[in-house]
Amino acid sequence: MSHPSADGRPNTDPSFEIIPIWRNVSPELIAELSGLWAQTGAIADPASAATRGQQAVCIGRDANGAICAVGTAVIRTLPRLRQPMYFYRQFFAPGFRGQRQTVPFFRRACDILQAHEGQLAIPEALGVLVELESALLAARYVHACDPHSGTTFIGYSPRGLQLRVSYFDDARLLAPAMPGRRREGGRSSRE
């Protein structure tokens, strides 16, 4: 499936393959992701890298088969929303940034998570939540509703960063969660 790039053109870059791996992450893949994060200085601690690796939704491989991108998600409930969302993070290797892959990769991750939700008897989340850590991206996303990324602005995080959500098709509100709690795997726990 080809998704549009940030400028609306289809992403047909043959040197970049997006591979779904949600809830199917092997120890070998975790080792590969840990190596990428250690090499780039993104996550130096091996235990933290292994935990984040288990949260991988999809990876991007370059023409040589090396991982050059990864999207991860974990269920969180913001006190303001009181609804579970997949808190999503995305990382591109430095040499692969600026190639108009950010939005297609994000949209593919959303598709993967929505397909997963569609298979569940009881929904885990209403959609995908992102915190824009990149000043470049935050400067680009100035509209409350952005049709290219499929996200809607919902406020700022405690760190002062934009929070945006992409709700799943036909998402229905769940019983409100207790403020200050986070749902993980159907259970609530303190944030």
Side-chain angles (χ1 to χ4, degrees):
M1 175 178 350
S2 177
H3 289 282
S5 64
D7 62 6
R9 292 180 300 173
N11 174 29
T12 57
D13 184 351
S15 66
F16 183 71
E17 180 184 10
I18 301 172
I19 304 164
I21 56 171
W22 180 241
R23 305 243 168 122
N24 192 24
V25 182
S26 69
E28 296 80 18
L29 189 54
I30 289 175
E32 198 174 353
L33 288 168
S34 296
L36 170 69
W37 287 321
Q39 178 184 9
T40 58
I43 303 175
D45 176 55
S48 296
T51 298
R52 181 77 59 84
Q54 286 292 341
Q55 301 167 359
V57 176
C58 56
I59 58 170
R61 290 196 181 272
D62 65 17
N64 298 319
I67 294 178
C68 57
V70 60
T72 62
V74 63
I75 296 174
R76 286 214 178 133
T77 301
L78 294 180
R80 177 181 309 140
L81 290 179
R82 295 180 65 188
Q83 295 290 304
M85 301 291 289
Y86 288 110
F87 178 64
Y88 179 79
R89 295 177 181 164
Q90 186 163 285
F91 177 79
F92 280 79
F96 220 80
R97 295 175 187 163
Q99 297 183 23
R100 297 184 173 174
Q101 297 292 347
T102 302
V103 171
F105 195 82
F106 170 73
R107 302 239 359 208
R108 181 68 177 115
C110 289
D111 289 347
I112 292 164
L113 292 169
Q114 180 162 331
H116 169 73
E117 279 294 304
Q119 298 173 359
L120 300 176
I122 300 172
E124 287 184 325
L126 300 184
V128 179
L129 168 71
V130 293
E131 181 181 38
L132 296 184
E133 294 185 33
S134 163
L136 179 66
L137 287 177
R140 185 177 300 151
Y141 294 102
V142 296
H143 292 96
C145 294
D146 182 75
H148 294 299
S149 66
T151 62
T152 301
F153 173 78
I154 62 163
Y156 292 94
S157 72
R159 300 190 305 163
L161 303 173
Q162 270 194 50
L163 291 173
R164 292 187 158 272
V165 297
S166 177
Y167 291 106
F168 296 140
D169 296 339
D170 302 320
R172 297 177 61 97
L173 297 178
L174 303 172
M178 295 295 293
R181 294 196 176 273
R182 155 177 77 188
R183 285 181 48 164
E184 293 189 21
R187 299 186 320 255
S188 293
S189 62
R190 278 270 173 220
E191 274 188 301

